[in-house]
Amino acid sequence: MNWLKAWLDRPGTLRGAALASLVANIGIVCTGGLVRLTGSGLGCPTWPRCTDDSYVTTAAMGHHGLIEFGNRTLTSVVSVLAVLALVAAWRQRTAVRPAALVLVGVAAQAVLGGITVRMALNPWTVMAHLLLSMVLIALAFALWDRTRGASPRWTAPRAMRGAGVLTTVIAAGVLVLGTIVTGSGPHSGDSKAARTGFDPESVSQLHTDAVMVLIGLSVAMWFGLRALGAPLRVTRAAAILVAAELAQGVVGFVQYFTGLPWPVVILHMLGACLVWTATLNLLARVAAAKPQEPARNEDHSLASTA
């Protein structure tokens, strides 16, 4: 067991587990989308068992059962990664709180998933299930960000820090509106599942308007950070966010005008996770922190040569 303790005590183990946890939580959003888009939301009609008599899918459940049970199985992978990250964080006496929150969030998500199934895919619980995934992504990102090394953060002016917070709030609002669009559209996860009752075109337009505000603010932050002479890593974070938003916007328009084909919708869900992660990354880069002059000056020199 000495080799296991030595492995858990390596900083690279915690960093790798944190990154894997972040990737897995993004991945399970996409597989959950596949469940909904293929009408497999009730492929396992009960929880925690798949059927009344079996914890696993049966031949009678067909491909819907395989898809739904496969998504449930991925929850075990996410759980194992969360436990691994927590054990490594505890042994290294660092980032224990975010690691613990990730594990608690995974457990809560599993319970909410069970409630969603037992409520026959009520659109509001489905929406809550997706939004909790976004909270989990935020927690997993916070854990990973704590393990990324000693690269100093830039102490941005108060107005720019406020803009970072506002951008994050608007991005969260875009996610909420996106789930409402999902709960109002045709892909309910099962032919008998209820819808929110909202007009899909109206909520889609509202969602689009919020996206435009988000893109505008993100572009403004990029210009503002460059004008302030922010370190290269900070302006790069803003540029990555803008690029992710523009790509996501293109996918969003494609899915809307092509009748919501499921491969494009899944790509849009992946894009939503990436935009959210990029938003969190920008917020972390402009968050207040004690500056470290040598590293900051070196970063400025990089920016001036870029």
Side-chain angles (χ1 to χ4, degrees), residues 175-290:
L175 290 174
V176 172
L177 290 171
T179 61
I180 295 175
V181 173
T182 297
S184 307
H187 296 299
S188 62
D190 187 83
S191 59
K192 298 179 181 179
R195 303 279 77 201
T196 63
F198 294 126
D199 177 51
E201 290 190 7
S202 297
V203 292
S204 294
Q205 184 60 58
L206 185 59
H207 175 63
T208 301
D209 293 341
V211 168
M212 294 303 178
V213 173
L214 177 61
I215 293 175
L217 182 56
S218 301
V219 171
M221 283 198 68
W222 180 74
F223 277 113
L225 289 167
R226 287 182 61 87
L228 288 168
L232 180 60
R233 67 184 180 280
V234 180
T235 56
R236 185 190 292 121
I240 290 173
L241 174 57
V242 172
E245 290 167 347
L246 293 176
Q248 175 73 335
V250 170
V251 174
F253 279 113
V254 169
Q255 73 165 2
Y256 183 80
F257 289 109
T258 56
L260 302 176
W262 69 264
V264 182
V265 176
I266 289 182
L267 185 61
H268 193 58
M269 295 183 70
L270 173 61
C273 296
L274 297 179
V275 168
W276 179 231
T277 304
T279 302
L280 297 170
N281 184 54
L282 177 58
L283 178 63
R285 302 286 75 77
V286 301
K290 183 178 180 180

Side-chain angles (χ1 to χ4, degrees), residues 151-156 231 233 287-297:
S151 178
R153 291 176 180 173
W154 177 58
T155 302
R233 67 184 180 280
K290 183 178 180 180
Q292 299 179 21
E293 293 296 337
R296 186 182 64 178
N297 292 337

Side-chain angles (χ1 to χ4, degrees), residues 96-111:
V96 175
R97 180 175 298 179
L101 288 175
V102 170
L103 182 57
V104 170
V106 170
Q109 182 71 309
V111 173

Side-chain angles (χ1 to χ4, degrees), residues 3 10-11 33 43 53 68 71 78 89 100 114-115 121 192 264 277 280 306:
W3 67 268
R10 292 176 54 193
D53 302 319
E68 165 63 6
N71 186 62
V78 175
I115 293 173
L121 305 184
K192 298 179 181 179
V264 182
T277 304
L280 297 170

Side-chain angles (χ1 to χ4, degrees), residues 119-142:
M119 294 187 68
L121 305 184
N122 179 286
W124 300 103
T125 58
V126 173
M127 289 161 56
H129 195 43
L130 178 56
L131 290 175
L132 183 54
S133 287
M134 296 303 171
V135 173
L136 263 173
I137 289 173
L139 293 172
F141 174 84

Side-chain angles (χ1 to χ4, degrees), residues 57-72:
T57 187
T58 64
M61 306 310 297
H63 71 279
H64 291 308
L66 287 173
I67 294 173
E68 165 63 6
F69 183 73
N71 186 62
R72 292 189 183 188

